[in-house]
Amino acid sequence: MVGRITSGKSLYGVLAYNRLKIDGGRARVIFCNRMLPPGGDPARLTAAHCRRVMQTWLDAKKNSRFVETIFHASLNPHPEDRLSEQQLADIAEEYMQRMGYGDQPYVVYLHRDIARAHLHIVSVRVGPDGQKIDDGNERYRSKAITRSIEKEYGLRRATKRQEREGTVPLRKVEYRRSGLKAQIASVVRNVTDRYKFCTLKEYNNILQLFRVEAEEVRGEIGGRPYAGMLYSALDENGDKVGVPIKSSAIGRDTGIGSIEKHYAKSAEWLKKNTDGMEGLRGIVRDAMRQSRSLPEFAAALSAEGVQVIVRQNTQGHIYGITFIDTTGD
């Protein structure tokens, strides 16, 4: 079982993401803590009710400098593990209890939008006393807990590659398949969470691997400037299809302001971690040595989890190459 934790600022965004899955018939609420809806059935829990309950906890925050107040975890069993909804709910409850969130409001979503059933858990990092929930060694503790749960429930142990990826692979958008809006939302939210990119061009290089394209929209209304972000699905030929989706329909953290902040954070990270890129450089050098053609080069890189985008002119001359590390290293 692979556990993956992210922090965020937008409660609306993460709840809206899971709401899209529910509306598309690919997810449902199977458990909630300290936020039972009227009637007591978790399946009847609405995003609005979750937001109201969690917001009261967020409003009690005592440290104004603490901004990433949203806890979002995914728990991903091995595809061959067969667990009932009750077992999955029990696993989620045990995980949250041991992570220190047992007394927090949280909601557990069961997703079935890919080959394996997996869980998404949303909570807040503000405790009942208004203080931040302790997140020291959080990822180390999470890994130890999932290892313990694997033994307790007789689950298959996650491979090193699965742990490195941290979650299930992203799927390409299929515009003929139902739930196009939810498909795009899933790609956008996961790409912004998993990858580092410093420009819109780099952002689109990654999004286009999953048949999505982002577009900045800027203008002026009534003398006041505005800026926004639109996301479109692409067909097999890379052409836009369907109606573009505004970032506000996915979550504020996918809007132009948040994406521009992501550019800056990515650039800063790259400055501080130039040595960490040596592993990727080594993979590229090895692939070049063993390849006799461009297709062989791309295949060798793909086997190591690196996607390559080659730019050629009409005469076939290469004028640019982009490497995308999908391993999460």
Side-chain angles (χ1 to χ4, degrees), residues 9-295:
K9 303 176 184 178
S10 173
L11 177 59
Y12 170 81
V14 71
L15 292 176
Y17 166 72
N18 284 286
R19 182 73 250 175
L20 285 171
K21 297 288 186 177
I22 291 174
D23 291 344
R26 290 177 292 278
R28 64 191 301 265
V29 176
I30 62 170
F31 186 78
C32 59
N33 192 61
R34 304 198 70 167
M35 59 165 58
L36 270 179
D41 181 5
R44 298 173 65 87
L45 191 67
T46 65
H49 182 80
C50 291
R51 194 177 181 188
R52 282 195 300 270
V53 173
M54 292 185 182
Q55 192 61 51
T56 60
W57 290 64
L58 295 177
D59 291 342
K61 182 184 67 172
K62 294 182 178 179
N63 185 351
S64 60
R65 291 177 296 177
F66 172 35
V67 294
E68 293 195 337
T69 54
I70 309 305
F71 175 91
H72 186 191
S74 65
L75 298 180
N76 303 273
H78 191 280
E80 296 178 14
D81 286 329
R82 295 292 181 260
L83 296 162
S84 67
E85 285 194 7
Q86 185 59 57
Q87 286 176 311
L88 288 167
D90 290 344
I91 286 172
E93 185 177 15
E94 179 176 348
Y95 176 84
M96 291 297 278
Q97 182 71 42
R98 295 175 62 178
M99 284 296 296
Y101 286 80
D103 294 327
Q104 294 293 104
Y106 64 84
V107 56
V108 181
Y109 301 90
L110 171 61
H111 285 221
R112 295 188 181 277
D113 53 337
I114 53 176
R116 73 178 82 184
H118 60 289
L119 303 175
H120 283 255
I121 310 171
V122 179
S123 186
V124 292
R125 294 182 177 274
V126 179
D129 58 355
Q131 301 295 335
K132 179 182 177 181
I133 296 291
D134 180 21
D135 62 352
N137 298 314
E138 189 173 61
R139 283 165 177 73
Y140 175 83
R141 290 190 289 118
S142 175
K143 183 175 179 180
I145 291 168
T146 55
R147 280 281 184 258
S148 176
I149 289 174
E150 285 173 344
K151 293 179 181 179
E152 182 180 348
Y153 286 82
L155 306 180
R156 290 164 179 79
R157 183 167 180 168
T159 66
K160 289 184 178 180
R161 180 179 179 84
Q162 289 168 336
E163 288 175 349
R164 187 172 63 241
E165 291 177 346
T167 188
V168 293
L170 276 169
R171 289 179 59 179
K172 293 181 180 179
V173 164
E174 299 177 27
Y175 73 94
R176 293 187 181 89
R177 186 161 57 89
S178 62
L180 184 60
K181 181 178 177 181
Q183 291 184 64
I184 294 175
S186 179
V187 168
V188 171
R189 293 192 64 84
N190 279 283
V191 164
T192 54
D193 183 45
R194 297 187 199 184
Y195 292 90
K196 293 176 177 62
F197 44 86
C198 303
T199 64
L200 178 64
K201 184 176 181 179
E202 291 179 4
Y203 187 24
N204 272 324
N205 281 339
I206 302 168
L207 287 175
Q208 287 162 2
L209 294 177
F210 308 103
R211 295 181 185 161
V212 176
E213 185 169 291
E215 177 186 1
E216 292 181 1
V217 180
R218 299 178 186 272
E220 190 174 288
I221 298 179
R224 300 180 63 181
Y226 71 86
M229 189 76 81
L230 296 176
Y231 293 97
S232 299
L234 304 178
D235 63 15
E236 295 83 351
N237 300 316
D239 297 321
K240 293 181 181 179
V241 290
V243 179
I245 296 174
K246 293 181 179 179
S247 60
S248 58
I250 301 173
R252 286 190 289 269
D253 53 345
T254 63
I256 192 166
S258 294
I259 296 303
E260 287 177 340
K261 289 179 181 177
H262 192 96
Y263 297 158
K265 287 183 179 179
S266 296
E268 186 64 26
W269 185 92
L270 288 169
K271 286 180 182 178
K272 295 179 179 178
N273 293 273
T274 54
D275 292 343
M277 299 297 291
E278 188 55 38
L280 176 59
R281 296 188 187 102
I283 291 173
V284 173
R285 286 194 294 267
D286 289 344
M288 290 180 66
R289 281 195 289 265
Q290 64 180 281
S291 303
R292 299 179 181 178
S293 65
L294 187 57

